[in-house]
Amino acid sequence: MNSDSCVFCRICRKRASGSFIYEDANVLAFLDTIPLNEGHTLIVPRKHYETILEVPEELVALLYKVVKRVALAVKESTKADGISITQQNGKAAGQEIPHLHIHVIPRYDGQRLPRFGEVPEANREKLNQVAADIRLHLQGHLTGKII
Ligand code: ZN
């Protein structure tokens, strides 16, 4: 797969629409268009890698730094009881889009998480509202200090 045929590469280059939460030189975070719960976010490397197995360790660290910050912001924004962080590698593992992506999914006490295929695509206006609120919460987590 080359980067023009990859939907996540197109989103990273702003050639396909996305509801963005965060971006820097290496990492982007945007909402899943088929959210399992409201606030379901994907964190991806800007550069095309199919799975985490090909990614340099330094980039893995940068990705998960963003994952943690986004998870905090999503949890606050959605008032979720918990957060799932999941990541599939390869078709056999259930990976549908072959560009590494890490899911951050709000979870609620007693709620069964729907499966992919059970939920409809969200409308862009709603996704943009949700993204704007998560971005507000993210501001507080971008400059955390280690004491
Ligand atoms: Zn890609």
Side-chain angles (χ1 to χ4, degrees), residues 21-35:
I21 306 289
Y22 175 85
E23 66 178 308
D24 63 29
N26 300 295
V27 182
L28 286 96
F30 48 83
L31 292 183
D32 197 314
T33 54
I34 307 176

Side-chain angles (χ1 to χ4, degrees), residues 3 6 8-9 48 98-99:
S3 60
C6 171
F8 288 168
C9 282
H48 184 91
H99 180 136

Side-chain angles (χ1 to χ4, degrees), residues 89-121:
N89 299 284
K91 256 188 191 157
Q95 183 179 14
E96 292 190 359
I97 296 178
H99 180 136
L100 167 63
H101 53 289
I102 301 151
H103 297 264
V104 170
I105 307 170
R107 304 297 303 272
Y108 299 92
D109 289 334
Q111 183 210 26
R112 182 187 75 88
L113 194 67
R115 290 168 178 277
F116 291 102
E118 288 179 355
V119 286
E121 201 167 316

Side-chain angles (χ1 to χ4, degrees), residues 48-94:
H48 184 91
Y49 292 99
E50 278 200 26
T51 76
I52 203 163
L53 305 177
E54 292 88 41
V55 177
E57 289 181 1
E58 295 75 19
L59 181 53
V60 173
L62 293 174
L63 280 163
Y64 273 89
K65 208 176 197 177
V66 175
V67 166
K68 191 208 163 174
R69 291 169 177 172
V70 166
L72 283 164
V74 167
K75 189 168 189 294
E76 286 176 9
S77 170
T78 60
K79 299 181 174 58
D81 298 313
I83 293 283
S84 287
I85 297 171
T86 65
Q87 197 266 313
Q88 271 63 250
N89 299 284
K91 256 188 191 157

